[in-house]
Amino acid sequence: MTTTEPLVLGIETSCDETGVGIVRGRTLLANAIASSMDEHARYGGVVPEVAARAHLEAMTPTIERALADAGVALADIDAIAVTSGPGLAGALMVGVSAAKALAVALDRPLYAVNHLVGHVGADLLHGDGLREAVGAVGELELPTVALLVSGGHTSLLLVRDLVSDVELLGETIDDAAGEAFDKVARLLGLPYPGGPEIDRVAAAGDPHAIRFPRGLTLPKDLERHRYDFSFSGLKTSVARWVEKRVAAGGPVPVADVAASFREAVADVLLTKALAACRDLDVPRLLLGGGVVANARVRELAAERAASAGIELRVPPLSLCTDNGAMIASLGAQLVAAGHEPSGLVFGADSTLPVQQVQMR
């Protein structure tokens, strides 16, 4: 195995997307994804058991598709990397089991890695067509502040070293931002998943029509929760506003509500992330996670980062949502850094702390 540019296959099954990626060092060769989102749409959210069964059915075809896209055979793979947490326990078990089976069958080293840190690893990748990324180009410099926003996570990290020194600065104390988008979309009669629907409708609305609350931004809250997030109160505020409007017999201005809600979320996310950059004297901010696909989040991030003199990095949107390529990327960095493999005794850990980049 070439340790500087190992050929790594990565498996990601933390939620509702079966992702298999193949990288050679920092070069992306394949990023195959099978989503079970349509199966969850009838329930209005991710059902863990449905997600696990969907991963089981999609695993082999997705691996085969990734190998075909990369133009390599299983025998060519140098190492396997897999998300071992955090995420849905049952979903993680499917990916971990598949990765262990491959490692044993191929007699290859196995690296169990942290899903959240994987999102940072996505920014290392390059390849044809990948530089549709927003913001700065070129190699990622460290340290960096990373804001990871998805349906299951809203976390603010300080990454001093990708494979050995990641610190959790703050996270949501209730709903994740993506979860709040889904719930507000349901309130407004919009289909699941809520993020793209809110984004679509909000484009025709006034983001300043309604002043919704910005959670944990008051001075008394900042003393204890400077880098933490809270979206439960915002979601409730939207619900009460809509209820009052309906009770008064007036029409609900869906576009204005969606735009105002989206503005509140984006405002809080960027205010706290850029505060961390200033406080810690880190001149760069990296965004990751599916909510980064939100147009206003990207727009506001670009505006405020430029105003603050902060370098903004956003991986291509295809690498922001959950995917196996980011897991393969992190695995390749562990190999290159000389880290020992994880072995076969680790299990899935739904609450794996971000400070633990690799499980052993």
Side-chain angles (χ1 to χ4, degrees), residues 18-347:
T18 307
V20 179
I22 299 175
V23 306
R24 189 182 299 279
R26 297 190 178 192
T27 302
L28 176 63
L29 302 182
N31 184 29
I33 297 175
S35 175
S36 60
M37 187 178 296
D38 289 345
E39 297 177 52
H40 300 288
R42 69 184 72 175
Y43 306 107
V46 176
V47 179
E49 179 63 20
V50 172
R53 289 180 180 274
H55 287 308
L56 189 61
E57 294 171 0
M59 183 59 64
T60 297
T62 309
I63 291 174
E64 291 173 346
R65 181 152 51 96
L67 291 169
D69 291 346
V72 300
L74 271 177
D76 300 324
I77 299 298
D78 293 320
I80 310 293
V82 63
T83 295
S84 53
L88 302 175
L92 290 167
M93 289 177 190
V94 176
V96 167
S97 297
K100 288 183 177 181
L102 283 174
V104 171
L106 299 173
D107 190 25
R108 296 294 190 271
L110 175 60
Y111 294 81
V113 305
N114 193 296
H115 168 83
L116 294 178
V117 183
H119 277 295
V120 182
D123 193 64
L124 300 179
L125 294 173
H126 55 79
D128 293 341
L130 271 189
R131 283 287 31 130
E132 74 269 18
V134 178
V137 297
E139 293 295 324
L140 171 65
E141 295 183 38
L142 297 176
T144 185
V145 171
L147 174 64
L148 310 180
V149 194
S150 67
H153 305 282
T154 304
S155 305
L156 196 57
L157 316 180
L158 174 60
V159 184
R160 299 185 186 90
D161 186 285
L162 184 64
V163 298
S164 63
D165 191 353
V166 179
E167 178 184 349
L168 179 66
L169 298 175
E171 60 187 344
T172 180
I173 63 173
D174 41 55
D175 291 350
E179 183 181 2
F181 270 98
D182 290 336
K183 291 178 177 178
V184 168
R186 192 179 307 129
L187 285 169
L188 297 177
L190 300 174
Y192 174 88
E197 293 297 323
I198 293 281
D199 212 23
R200 177 182 62 81
V201 172
D206 178 1
H208 306 295
I210 309 160
R211 174 69 184 185
F212 287 125
R214 274 65 168 161
L216 300 183
T217 58
L218 296 176
K220 64 181 180 65
D221 296 318
L222 290 175
E223 291 180 10
R224 292 183 54 205
H225 297 286
R226 182 163 184 78
Y227 304 128
D228 290 324
F229 303 92
S230 172
F231 298 105
S232 180
L234 170 60
K235 172 199 65 182
T236 301
S237 180
V238 174
R240 297 294 85 81
W241 194 95
V242 170
E243 288 172 1
K244 289 180 180 178
R245 187 67 176 236
V246 171
V252 176
V254 173
D256 286 347
V257 174
S260 298
F261 164 75
R262 183 179 70 166
E263 189 71 13
V265 174
D267 184 17
V268 170
L269 291 174
L270 274 305
T271 295
K272 296 216 169 201
L274 290 171
C277 290
R278 290 192 299 271
D279 294 347
L280 301 171
D281 196 25
V282 175
R284 63 193 61 86
L285 172 65
L286 183 149
L287 304 186
V291 176
V292 174
N294 185 280
R296 183 54 179 158
V297 170
R298 297 199 310 276
E299 180 182 49
L300 193 62
E303 290 174 2
R304 292 193 179 177
S307 177
I310 299 295
E311 174 189 331
L312 176 67
R313 301 188 66 91
V314 186
L317 297 185
S318 61
L319 296 179
C320 285
T321 55
D322 294 346
N323 63 86
M326 69 185 193
I327 302 305
S329 175
L330 182 53
Q333 294 306 304
L334 288 164
V335 172
H339 285 231
E340 291 296 318
S342 298
L344 296 173
V345 298
F346 70 90

